[in-house]
Amino acid sequence: MFKLDRTSATPLYRQLYAQAKERILSGALPPGTRLPPERTLARRLGVNRTTVVNAYRELAAEGLVEGRVGHGTVVLGPPEPRGADAVRPMPWAGPTEAEEPLVADINAIIRRPGAISFAHGEMSPELYPAEAVAHLMQQVLQDPAALGYGPIAGLMPLRQAIADAMGVTADQVLILAGSQIALYLISRVLLQPGDTVLVEMPSYINTLGIFDSAGVRVVPVPVDQHGLVVDGLDELMLRYQPKLLFTLPTFHNPLGVTLTPERRRRLIQLAARHQVGIVEDDPYGPLHFTGQPVPTLKSLDPGGYVIYISSASKAVSPALRLAWIVAAPPVVERIARARGSLDFRAALLNQRVMEAFLREGLLAEHLGRLRPALKERRDLMLEALQRYMPDGVSWYVPEGGYHIWCRLPRPLTARRLLTEAGREGVAFVPGDFYGAGQMARRGLRLNFSYPRPEEIGPGIARLARAVERLLREEAVDGGEEASISGPVV
Ligand SMILES: Cc1ncc(COP(=O)(O)O)c(C=O)c1O
C-alpha cells in the first residue's frame, strides 16, 4: 500500500503523509475509507508507531482525515471546492474498509510480469469445460423460455438430478447462486444475533465474514491432519450450546485435509446428542484423486442434522454461480422463502445448462479429465516441495481438492515469508488469513489448481529460496522484526 524509502532525506512520517494525501486527493482512498490502525500500519511498514501517528496528525490538520471513536482514522475526502457554482458531489460513501492490506500485498506480487501464483482459489482457465458449456448454451437457447425466471427453489429437473445423486428426494434440494449465498441465507434463517456457532479453525475465510455480519459468536474448533478434532467437542457443545457447527470435511480449504470415517461417525452422534445442526460445506468433494469418493456427512445422517452445501464452482466453473443445499424439507422451504427477498432466483439459463451437463453424462466425462489433471499438479507440487524445501518445512498431502498446507519451522511466520516471496515473484496466502493461532501463523496455503504445470516446480524453488533466506537471517539476528524491510509493493 505505502512504500517508504529509508535512504531518502525526507522523514518517514512526511513520506507516509504525502503518499496518503496523494491517494485521498486522487480519490484512490475515497471518503469514508478507514485507514489501517496506527499500530498495524507501523508493524507492516516496519516503523515506529509515532511515525504513523505523526503522519495521520498532519492529514487531520489539513482536514483530510478524522479520528472517530470506535472507527479509527477515517478519510474525509478532498476539501470542498469553493464558489457558488462548485458542484458538490452526493456524499454516498459510508465507512468502507480500505482493501485488506494482505490482499493488496498478494495482488501486487501477482500483477508483476513473470510472477507465479499459488494464491488463487480457482482453476487455470484451460481446465474449465468451455466447449461443452458453449455447446449446451446454444442447445438450451433453442427454447427461449430458458431466458425466463424459473421457480424459486430452482429448476425441478436439476433438483431431481442432484437428489438422485445424493439419494434424497427433490424437496430436500434447493438451488442457489453460489455457496456464499447459501451460507449467508443459512446464517440469516437459522441463527439469531447472539447465538453461538462452532467453526473449525483455520476455516474458509468468507464464512467467518458471514458469521461476523450475522452478529453470532464464533467458537473455534481445532483441525489437524485428520480433519476437525472431535475430542473435546462434547464439552464445547455442553458449554456453549451452539446452534450450528460449520465444517469442511472433505479436502478442506485451506488445509486440504479430510475428516476420517471414524470422526465423521462421532461427529454425527454428537450433533444428535446435543441437537446441533451441522453445516457441511463440500465444494471440493468431486475432486478426489484416489478413485473413490469420500462419503459425505449427509450420507451418514439419518436424523436430518446435516445441512449439506455443494457448488459447481470448484468442479465445473464458478462463473455459473450455482450451488445447492440438501437439507430437511422445512429448512429448504424456509431458505427458499428468504431467498425471495435476497437474489430472487438463480440464473435459469445456467441451471438449464447444468441440468443438461448432468443428463448428457458430460460432468462424468469432464471430471474424468479434471481429476488426473489436478492430481498431476498436486504431484508436481509435492515433488518440488520435497526437492527444494529446507529441513523443518512440512506439509499435508491432500487426497483431492486444490490446496496443500505447508508449515514453516519456528520462529518463521508466513507473513514474513510473503514479503520475501514477493521479491522472488511468487505468491501464496499466509495461513493467518484463515484464522488465528500458531498453526495459522506458520502455515501457507499453496494452491496447485491455478498455476500451469510447468510453473509449479520453478515457483516452489523460488519459495524455497525465500524460506532459506529467512532462515539465514534468523540465524544471524535472532529473527527480530527489524529484519522486515517493508511491505511487498
Ligand atoms: C470452502 C468453500 N466454500 C465456499 C466457497 C464459495 O463458493 P461459491 O463460488 O459457490 O460461492 C469456496 C470458494 O473458494 C470455498 O473454498
Side-chain angles (χ1 to χ4, degrees), residues 442-481:
R442 292 197 288 127
L444 287 59
R445 190 193 78 168
L446 298 175
N447 163 286
F448 53 81
S449 62
Y450 185 79
R452 292 191 306 277
E454 64 274 19
E455 289 179 320
I456 292 176
I460 296 294
R462 292 182 192 184
L463 193 58
R465 273 202 298 276
V467 175
E468 271 162 0
R469 211 158 43 236
L470 279 190
L471 284 171
R472 273 199 303 276
E473 276 176 24
E474 203 50 57
V476 173
D477 66 21
E480 285 300 304
E481 282 281 295

Side-chain angles (χ1 to χ4, degrees), residues 121 177-181 183 204 207 246 248 253 281 283-284 310-314 318 321-323 403 445:
S179 327
Q180 196 61 27
I181 286 199
L183 283 165
Y204 172 55
T207 325
F246 175 79
L248 242 151
N253 178 11
D281 189 14
Y284 301 97
S310 191
S311 165
S313 291
K314 305 300 169 178
R321 302 312 302 138
L322 284 179
H403 309 112
R445 190 193 78 168

Side-chain angles (χ1 to χ4, degrees), residues 210-228:
I210 285 176
F211 291 135
D212 205 28
S213 71
V216 300
R217 175 158 69 148
V218 169
V219 173
V221 185
V223 190
D224 64 19
Q225 69 270 36
H226 304 300
L228 181 99

Side-chain angles (χ1 to χ4, degrees), residues 385 389-395 406-409 467 471:
L385 287 166
M389 279 297 169
D391 284 351
V393 178
S394 60
W395 49 88
C406 195
R407 285 167 301 169
L408 298 172
V467 175
L471 284 171

